[in-house]
Amino acid sequence: MSKTLTRANLSEAVYQEVGLSRNESADFVERVLEEISSSLEQGETVKVSSFGAFSVREKGGRVGRNPKTGEEVPIKPRRVLVFRPSHVLKDRVNKSAARDAMTDSSATPETV
């Protein structure tokens, strides 16, 4: 049921929509992803209009607890990747979910 979007899928979409060769499409996708990755490595925020923003957040060190044994374990400071979807993307996802619920044979307009 769930499908994973891969680099190959993205390259194929660029090939179909833009008309670049398959190799050029694959190179284009790789360059875009590399640019995004490099910017995030440097701690920059990456904003994609009508899609969302990727950013890196610094998390401080803290003491955690092993839930099984109760033993305290130190957790080192680290950087985490955060994605904040745009309102446009959120609206599209919610409209899609509502449309899927309406096409479900067990759903009626009263239950959706």
Side-chain angles (χ1 to χ4, degrees):
M1 252 169 79
S2 83
K3 181 181 173 190
T4 302
L5 180 64
T6 65
R7 290 173 189 241
N9 297 133
L10 291 172
S11 296
E12 185 64 22
V14 170
Y15 168 73
Q16 295 290 331
E17 294 294 321
V18 179
L20 297 175
S21 72
R22 281 197 162 89
N23 286 339
E24 290 171 330
S25 298
D27 289 343
F28 177 77
V29 169
E30 287 301 320
R31 283 193 300 237
V32 168
L33 294 175
E34 180 57 36
E35 186 66 29
I36 291 170
S37 298
S38 295
S39 295
L40 291 169
E41 283 177 24
Q42 296 171 16
E44 298 173 9
T45 298
V46 177
K47 294 182 181 180
V48 181
S49 179
S50 299
F51 185 74
F54 296 91
S55 60
V56 177
R57 195 174 88 204
E58 302 285 336
K59 293 187 85 171
R62 61 187 173 90
V63 176
R65 192 173 301 275
N66 181 329
K68 192 170 187 177
T69 64
E71 176 186 355
E72 289 187 352
V73 180
I75 299 174
K76 296 178 181 177
R78 63 193 187 280
R79 299 168 75 194
V80 295
L81 183 61
V82 179
F83 174 70
R84 299 217 39 193
S86 72
H87 290 291
V88 173
L89 180 59
K90 286 181 185 179
D91 291 343
R92 285 185 66 180
V93 168
N94 287 325
K95 285 180 184 174
S96 174
R99 186 174 51 247
D100 290 347
M102 291 298 289
T103 59
D104 184 10
S105 61
S106 63
T108 63
E110 295 82 33
T111 61
V112 177

PDB file of all heavy atoms in Angstrom, residues 53-82:
ATOM      1  N   ALA A  53      10.370  23.515   4.954  1.00  0.00           N
ATOM      2  CA  ALA A  53      11.721  23.948   5.310  1.00  0.00           C
ATOM      3  C   ALA A  53      12.430  22.848   6.092  1.00  0.00           C
ATOM      4  O   ALA A  53      11.855  22.236   6.993  1.00  0.00           O
ATOM      5  CB  ALA A  53      11.666  25.225   6.134  1.00  0.00           C
ATOM      6  N   PHE A  54      13.664  22.610   5.714  1.00  0.00           N
ATOM      7  CA  PHE A  54      14.537  21.685   6.431  1.00  0.00           C
ATOM      8  C   PHE A  54      15.501  22.533   7.251  1.00  0.00           C
ATOM      9  O   PHE A  54      16.053  23.512   6.732  1.00  0.00           O
ATOM     10  CB  PHE A  54      15.357  20.825   5.462  1.00  0.00           C
ATOM     11  CG  PHE A  54      14.535  19.919   4.598  1.00  0.00           C
ATOM     12  CD1 PHE A  54      14.087  20.341   3.353  1.00  0.00           C
ATOM     13  CD2 PHE A  54      14.221  18.641   5.017  1.00  0.00           C
ATOM     14  CE1 PHE A  54      13.342  19.504   2.540  1.00  0.00           C
ATOM     15  CE2 PHE A  54      13.475  17.793   4.202  1.00  0.00           C
ATOM     16  CZ  PHE A  54      13.034  18.231   2.964  1.00  0.00           C
ATOM     17  N   SER A  55      15.729  22.160   8.496  1.00  0.00           N
ATOM     18  CA  SER A  55      16.695  22.886   9.306  1.00  0.00           C
ATOM     19  C   SER A  55      17.381  21.910  10.253  1.00  0.00           C
ATOM     20  O   SER A  55      16.918  20.787  10.467  1.00  0.00           O
ATOM     21  CB  SER A  55      16.021  24.020  10.085  1.00  0.00           C
ATOM     22  OG  SER A  55      15.034  23.507  10.947  1.00  0.00           O
ATOM     23  N   VAL A  56      18.484  22.365  10.815  1.00  0.00           N
ATOM     24  CA  VAL A  56      19.251  21.571  11.761  1.00  0.00           C
ATOM     25  C   VAL A  56      19.102  22.214  13.133  1.00  0.00           C
ATOM     26  O   VAL A  56      19.236  23.431  13.265  1.00  0.00           O
ATOM     27  CB  VAL A  56      20.740  21.507  11.361  1.00  0.00           C
ATOM     28  CG1 VAL A  56      21.547  20.742  12.393  1.00  0.00           C
ATOM     29  CG2 VAL A  56      20.891  20.866   9.993  1.00  0.00           C
ATOM     30  N   ARG A  57      18.790  21.400  14.118  1.00  0.00           N
ATOM     31  CA  ARG A  57      18.619  21.899  15.476  1.00  0.00           C
ATOM     32  C   ARG A  57      19.667  21.254  16.374  1.00  0.00           C
ATOM     33  O   ARG A  57      19.961  20.062  16.244  1.00  0.00           O
ATOM     34  CB  ARG A  57      17.209  21.551  15.971  1.00  0.00           C
ATOM     35  CG  ARG A  57      16.805  22.320  17.193  1.00  0.00           C
ATOM     36  CD  ARG A  57      15.375  22.046  17.547  1.00  0.00           C
ATOM     37  NE  ARG A  57      15.384  20.875  18.414  1.00  0.00           N
ATOM     38  CZ  ARG A  57      14.391  20.046  18.600  1.00  0.00           C
ATOM     39  NH1 ARG A  57      13.265  20.232  17.960  1.00  0.00           N
ATOM     40  NH2 ARG A  57      14.497  19.016  19.395  1.00  0.00           N
ATOM     41  N   GLU A  58      20.232  22.058  17.254  1.00  0.00           N
ATOM     42  CA  GLU A  58      21.216  21.558  18.207  1.00  0.00           C
ATOM     43  C   GLU A  58      20.488  21.070  19.453  1.00  0.00           C
ATOM     44  O   GLU A  58      19.685  21.787  20.028  1.00  0.00           O
ATOM     45  CB  GLU A  58      22.188  22.676  18.610  1.00  0.00           C
ATOM     46  CG  GLU A  58      22.940  23.314  17.456  1.00  0.00           C
ATOM     47  CD  GLU A  58      24.049  22.455  16.920  1.00  0.00           C
ATOM     48  OE1 GLU A  58      24.563  21.593  17.661  1.00  0.00           O
ATOM     49  OE2 GLU A  58      24.409  22.645  15.743  1.00  0.00           O
ATOM     50  N   LYS A  59      20.764  19.835  19.861  1.00  0.00           N
ATOM     51  CA  LYS A  59      20.191  19.314  21.095  1.00  0.00           C
ATOM     52  C   LYS A  59      21.321  19.139  22.100  1.00  0.00           C
ATOM     53  O   LYS A  59      22.363  18.577  21.779  1.00  0.00           O
ATOM     54  CB  LYS A  59      19.493  17.977  20.858  1.00  0.00           C
ATOM     55  CG  LYS A  59      18.246  18.115  19.976  1.00  0.00           C
ATOM     56  CD  LYS A  59      17.488  16.835  19.886  1.00  0.00           C
ATOM     57  CE  LYS A  59      16.571  16.749  21.073  1.00  0.00           C
ATOM     58  NZ  LYS A  59      15.635  15.621  20.976  1.00  0.00           N
ATOM     59  N   GLY A  60      21.105  19.637  23.281  1.00  0.00           N
ATOM     60  CA  GLY A  60      22.123  19.547  24.318  1.00  0.00           C
ATOM     61  C   GLY A  60      22.199  18.160  24.914  1.00  0.00           C
ATOM     62  O   GLY A  60      21.299  17.338  24.752  1.00  0.00           O
ATOM     63  N   GLY A  61      23.283  17.933  25.627  1.00  0.00           N
ATOM     64  CA  GLY A  61      23.446  16.661  26.315  1.00  0.00           C
ATOM     65  C   GLY A  61      22.485  16.588  27.494  1.00  0.00           C
ATOM     66  O   GLY A  61      22.058  17.606  28.042  1.00  0.00           O
ATOM     67  N   ARG A  62      22.137  15.377  27.867  1.00  0.00           N
ATOM     68  CA  ARG A  62      21.236  15.193  28.999  1.00  0.00           C
ATOM     69  C   ARG A  62      21.412  13.786  29.539  1.00  0.00           C
ATOM     70  O   ARG A  62      22.116  12.965  28.951  1.00  0.00           O
ATOM     71  CB  ARG A  62      19.798  15.442  28.588  1.00  0.00           C
ATOM     72  CG  ARG A  62      19.287  14.514  27.506  1.00  0.00           C
ATOM     73  CD  ARG A  62      17.888  14.918  27.015  1.00  0.00           C
ATOM     74  NE  ARG A  62      17.481  14.139  25.884  1.00  0.00           N
ATOM     75  CZ  ARG A  62      16.807  12.988  25.952  1.00  0.00           C
ATOM     76  NH1 ARG A  62      16.480  12.488  27.119  1.00  0.00           N
ATOM     77  NH2 ARG A  62      16.468  12.346  24.854  1.00  0.00           N
ATOM     78  N   VAL A  63      20.754  13.538  30.646  1.00  0.00           N
ATOM     79  CA  VAL A  63      20.794  12.206  31.220  1.00  0.00           C
ATOM     80  C   VAL A  63      19.480  11.514  30.881  1.00  0.00           C
ATOM     81  O   VAL A  63      18.398  12.031  31.163  1.00  0.00           O
ATOM     82  CB  VAL A  63      20.983  12.255  32.751  1.00  0.00           C
ATOM     83  CG1 VAL A  63      20.924  10.862  33.351  1.00  0.00           C
ATOM     84  CG2 VAL A  63      22.306  12.922  33.091  1.00  0.00           C
ATOM     85  N   GLY A  64      19.582  10.363  30.226  1.00  0.00           N
ATOM     86  CA  GLY A  64      18.412   9.569  29.889  1.00  0.00           C
ATOM     87  C   GLY A  64      18.328   8.374  30.812  1.00  0.00           C
ATOM     88  O   GLY A  64      19.191   8.169  31.675  1.00  0.00           O
ATOM     89  N   ARG A  65      17.299   7.606  30.645  1.00  0.00           N
ATOM     90  CA  ARG A  65      17.115   6.441  31.490  1.00  0.00           C
ATOM     91  C   ARG A  65      16.706   5.255  30.626  1.00  0.00           C
ATOM     92  O   ARG A  65      15.820   5.360  29.793  1.00  0.00           O
ATOM     93  CB  ARG A  65      16.032   6.742  32.527  1.00  0.00           C
ATOM     94  CG  ARG A  65      15.950   5.735  33.642  1.00  0.00           C
ATOM     95  CD  ARG A  65      14.973   6.175  34.725  1.00  0.00           C
ATOM     96  NE  ARG A  65      15.308   7.446  35.320  1.00  0.00           N
ATOM     97  CZ  ARG A  65      16.154   7.644  36.313  1.00  0.00           C
ATOM     98  NH1 ARG A  65      16.812   6.607  36.816  1.00  0.00           N
ATOM     99  NH2 ARG A  65      16.373   8.831  36.810  1.00  0.00           N
ATOM    100  N   ASN A  66      17.377   4.127  30.841  1.00  0.00           N
ATOM    101  CA  ASN A  66      17.018   2.898  30.152  1.00  0.00           C
ATOM    102  C   ASN A  66      15.683   2.429  30.729  1.00  0.00           C
ATOM    103  O   ASN A  66      15.593   2.127  31.914  1.00  0.00           O
ATOM    104  CB  ASN A  66      18.100   1.841  30.375  1.00  0.00           C
ATOM    105  CG  ASN A  66      17.814   0.541  29.662  1.00  0.00           C
ATOM    106  OD1 ASN A  66      16.670   0.166  29.468  1.00  0.00           O
ATOM    107  ND2 ASN A  66      18.879  -0.169  29.308  1.00  0.00           N
ATOM    108  N   PRO A  67      14.630   2.380  29.914  1.00  0.00           N
ATOM    109  CA  PRO A  67      13.320   2.027  30.453  1.00  0.00           C
ATOM    110  C   PRO A  67      13.236   0.591  30.981  1.00  0.00           C
ATOM    111  O   PRO A  67      12.433   0.300  31.857  1.00  0.00           O
ATOM    112  CB  PRO A  67      12.365   2.217  29.273  1.00  0.00           C
ATOM    113  CG  PRO A  67      13.212   2.243  28.070  1.00  0.00           C
ATOM    114  CD  PRO A  67      14.575   2.672  28.491  1.00  0.00           C
ATOM    115  N   LYS A  68      14.085  -0.273  30.474  1.00  0.00           N
ATOM    116  CA  LYS A  68      14.043  -1.673  30.906  1.00  0.00           C
ATOM    117  C   LYS A  68      14.712  -1.872  32.264  1.00  0.00           C
ATOM    118  O   LYS A  68      14.175  -2.569  33.122  1.00  0.00           O
ATOM    119  CB  LYS A  68      14.721  -2.542  29.846  1.00  0.00           C
ATOM    120  CG  LYS A  68      14.491  -4.019  30.015  1.00  0.00           C
ATOM    121  CD  LYS A  68      14.987  -4.781  28.814  1.00  0.00           C
ATOM    122  CE  LYS A  68      14.612  -6.237  28.910  1.00  0.00           C
ATOM    123  NZ  LYS A  68      15.032  -6.978  27.715  1.00  0.00           N
ATOM    124  N   THR A  69      15.877  -1.215  32.440  1.00  0.00           N
ATOM    125  CA  THR A  69      16.634  -1.429  33.681  1.00  0.00           C
ATOM    126  C   THR A  69      16.538  -0.261  34.644  1.00  0.00           C
ATOM    127  O   THR A  69      16.867  -0.403  35.821  1.00  0.00           O
ATOM    128  CB  THR A  69      18.123  -1.662  33.365  1.00  0.00           C
ATOM    129  OG1 THR A  69      18.664  -0.478  32.779  1.00  0.00           O
ATOM    130  CG2 THR A  69      18.301  -2.839  32.421  1.00  0.00           C
ATOM    131  N   GLY A  70      16.124   0.894  34.150  1.00  0.00           N
ATOM    132  CA  GLY A  70      16.070   2.081  35.008  1.00  0.00           C
ATOM    133  C   GLY A  70      17.434   2.746  35.180  1.00  0.00           C
ATOM    134  O   GLY A  70      17.555   3.748  35.874  1.00  0.00           O
ATOM    135  N   GLU A  71      18.449   2.206  34.531  1.00  0.00           N
ATOM    136  CA  GLU A  71      19.807   2.736  34.647  1.00  0.00           C
ATOM    137  C   GLU A  71      19.913   4.078  33.917  1.00  0.00           C
ATOM    138  O   GLU A  71      19.407   4.241  32.818  1.00  0.00           O
ATOM    139  CB  GLU A  71      20.783   1.736  34.030  1.00  0.00           C
ATOM    140  CG  GLU A  71      22.211   2.211  34.000  1.00  0.00           C
ATOM    141  CD  GLU A  71      23.116   1.246  33.246  1.00  0.00           C
ATOM    142  OE1 GLU A  71      22.652   0.176  32.827  1.00  0.00           O
ATOM    143  OE2 GLU A  71      24.287   1.604  33.068  1.00  0.00           O
ATOM    144  N   GLU A  72      20.585   5.044  34.556  1.00  0.00           N
ATOM    145  CA  GLU A  72      20.811   6.344  33.926  1.00  0.00           C
ATOM    146  C   GLU A  72      21.910   6.218  32.877  1.00  0.00           C
ATOM    147  O   GLU A  72      22.920   5.560  33.107  1.00  0.00           O
ATOM    148  CB  GLU A  72      21.201   7.389  34.967  1.00  0.00           C
ATOM    149  CG  GLU A  72      20.057   7.788  35.854  1.00  0.00           C
ATOM    150  CD  GLU A  72      20.404   8.953  36.765  1.00  0.00           C
ATOM    151  OE1 GLU A  72      21.589   9.356  36.813  1.00  0.00           O
ATOM    152  OE2 GLU A  72      19.482   9.444  37.422  1.00  0.00           O
ATOM    153  N   VAL A  73      21.666   6.845  31.731  1.00  0.00           N
ATOM    154  CA  VAL A  73      22.605   6.778  30.617  1.00  0.00           C
ATOM    155  C   VAL A  73      22.815   8.191  30.095  1.00  0.00           C
ATOM    156  O   VAL A  73      21.848   8.897  29.809  1.00  0.00           O
ATOM    157  CB  VAL A  73      22.042   5.884  29.477  1.00  0.00           C
ATOM    158  CG1 VAL A  73      23.008   5.810  28.322  1.00  0.00           C
ATOM    159  CG2 VAL A  73      21.691   4.507  29.987  1.00  0.00           C
ATOM    160  N   PRO A  74      24.075   8.628  29.949  1.00  0.00           N
ATOM    161  CA  PRO A  74      24.293   9.967  29.397  1.00  0.00           C
ATOM    162  C   PRO A  74      24.010   9.991  27.895  1.00  0.00           C
ATOM    163  O   PRO A  74      24.383   9.075  27.166  1.00  0.00           O
ATOM    164  CB  PRO A  74      25.775  10.236  29.675  1.00  0.00           C
ATOM    165  CG  PRO A  74      26.399   8.878  29.788  1.00  0.00           C
ATOM    166  CD  PRO A  74      25.323   7.971  30.326  1.00  0.00           C
ATOM    167  N   ILE A  75      23.308  11.028  27.458  1.00  0.00           N
ATOM    168  CA  ILE A  75      23.038  11.218  26.037  1.00  0.00           C
ATOM    169  C   ILE A  75      23.851  12.423  25.587  1.00  0.00           C
ATOM    170  O   ILE A  75      23.715  13.511  26.145  1.00  0.00           O
ATOM    171  CB  ILE A  75      21.527  11.439  25.781  1.00  0.00           C
ATOM    172  CG1 ILE A  75      20.749  10.209  26.249  1.00  0.00           C
ATOM    173  CG2 ILE A  75      21.274  11.719  24.302  1.00  0.00           C
ATOM    174  CD1 ILE A  75      19.247  10.368  26.190  1.00  0.00           C
ATOM    175  N   LYS A  76      24.711  12.231  24.600  1.00  0.00           N
ATOM    176  CA  LYS A  76      25.619  13.278  24.142  1.00  0.00           C
ATOM    177  C   LYS A  76      24.870  14.354  23.358  1.00  0.00           C
ATOM    178  O   LYS A  76      23.830  14.076  22.753  1.00  0.00           O
ATOM    179  CB  LYS A  76      26.708  12.678  23.262  1.00  0.00           C
ATOM    180  CG  LYS A  76      27.603  11.708  23.981  1.00  0.00           C
ATOM    181  CD  LYS A  76      28.632  11.122  23.048  1.00  0.00           C
ATOM    182  CE  LYS A  76      29.499  10.119  23.797  1.00  0.00           C
ATOM    183  NZ  LYS A  76      30.466   9.473  22.922  1.00  0.00           N
ATOM    184  N   PRO A  77      25.417  15.569  23.334  1.00  0.00           N
ATOM    185  CA  PRO A  77      24.824  16.615  22.478  1.00  0.00           C
ATOM    186  C   PRO A  77      24.890  16.173  21.023  1.00  0.00           C
ATOM    187  O   PRO A  77      25.813  15.466  20.613  1.00  0.00           O
ATOM    188  CB  PRO A  77      25.722  17.825  22.707  1.00  0.00           C
ATOM    189  CG  PRO A  77      26.509  17.525  23.917  1.00  0.00           C
ATOM    190  CD  PRO A  77      26.568  16.052  24.066  1.00  0.00           C
ATOM    191  N   ARG A  78      23.896  16.587  20.261  1.00  0.00           N
ATOM    192  CA  ARG A  78      23.879  16.181  18.855  1.00  0.00           C
ATOM    193  C   ARG A  78      23.068  17.170  18.034  1.00  0.00           C
ATOM    194  O   ARG A  78      22.383  18.023  18.570  1.00  0.00           O
ATOM    195  CB  ARG A  78      23.296  14.779  18.711  1.00  0.00           C
ATOM    196  CG  ARG A  78      21.850  14.667  19.144  1.00  0.00           C
ATOM    197  CD  ARG A  78      21.440  13.202  19.287  1.00  0.00           C
ATOM    198  NE  ARG A  78      20.029  13.058  19.542  1.00  0.00           N
ATOM    199  CZ  ARG A  78      19.446  13.217  20.707  1.00  0.00           C
ATOM    200  NH1 ARG A  78      20.168  13.556  21.756  1.00  0.00           N
ATOM    201  NH2 ARG A  78      18.152  13.043  20.857  1.00  0.00           N
ATOM    202  N   ARG A  79      23.170  17.018  16.724  1.00  0.00           N
ATOM    203  CA  ARG A  79      22.401  17.838  15.794  1.00  0.00           C
ATOM    204  C   ARG A  79      21.327  16.951  15.193  1.00  0.00           C
ATOM    205  O   ARG A  79      21.580  15.810  14.829  1.00  0.00           O
ATOM    206  CB  ARG A  79      23.319  18.376  14.699  1.00  0.00           C
ATOM    207  CG  ARG A  79      24.428  19.261  15.255  1.00  0.00           C
ATOM    208  CD  ARG A  79      25.475  19.550  14.215  1.00  0.00           C
ATOM    209  NE  ARG A  79      24.952  20.538  13.276  1.00  0.00           N
ATOM    210  CZ  ARG A  79      25.501  20.812  12.117  1.00  0.00           C
ATOM    211  NH1 ARG A  79      26.580  20.171  11.726  1.00  0.00           N
ATOM    212  NH2 ARG A  79      25.001  21.732  11.332  1.00  0.00           N
ATOM    213  N   VAL A  80      20.117  17.474  15.082  1.00  0.00           N
ATOM    214  CA  VAL A  80      19.018  16.702  14.505  1.00  0.00           C
ATOM    215  C   VAL A  80      18.417  17.476  13.340  1.00  0.00           C
ATOM    216  O   VAL A  80      18.392  18.699  13.333  1.00  0.00           O
ATOM    217  CB  VAL A  80      17.931  16.358  15.546  1.00  0.00           C
ATOM    218  CG1 VAL A  80      18.479  15.433  16.615  1.00  0.00           C
ATOM    219  CG2 VAL A  80      17.357  17.605  16.171  1.00  0.00           C
ATOM    220  N   LEU A  81      17.947  16.744  12.365  1.00  0.00           N
ATOM    221  CA  LEU A  81      17.321  17.330  11.191  1.00  0.00           C
ATOM    222  C   LEU A  81      15.825  17.478  11.461  1.00  0.00           C
ATOM    223  O   LEU A  81      15.174  16.549  11.929  1.00  0.00           O
ATOM    224  CB  LEU A  81      17.545  16.427   9.976  1.00  0.00           C
ATOM    225  CG  LEU A  81      17.010  16.908   8.643  1.00  0.00           C
ATOM    226  CD1 LEU A  81      17.664  18.226   8.247  1.00  0.00           C
ATOM    227  CD2 LEU A  81      17.254  15.861   7.578  1.00  0.00           C
ATOM    228  N   VAL A  82      15.300  18.659  11.148  1.00  0.00           N
ATOM    229  CA  VAL A  82      13.887  18.953  11.374  1.00  0.00           C
ATOM    230  C   VAL A  82      13.267  19.380  10.047  1.00  0.00           C
ATOM    231  O   VAL A  82      13.862  20.150   9.295  1.00  0.00           O
ATOM    232  CB  VAL A  82      13.736  20.096  12.409  1.00  0.00           C
ATOM    233  CG1 VAL A  82      12.277  20.432  12.626  1.00  0.00           C
ATOM    234  CG2 VAL A  82      14.411  19.729  13.717  1.00  0.00           C
TER     235      VAL A  82
END
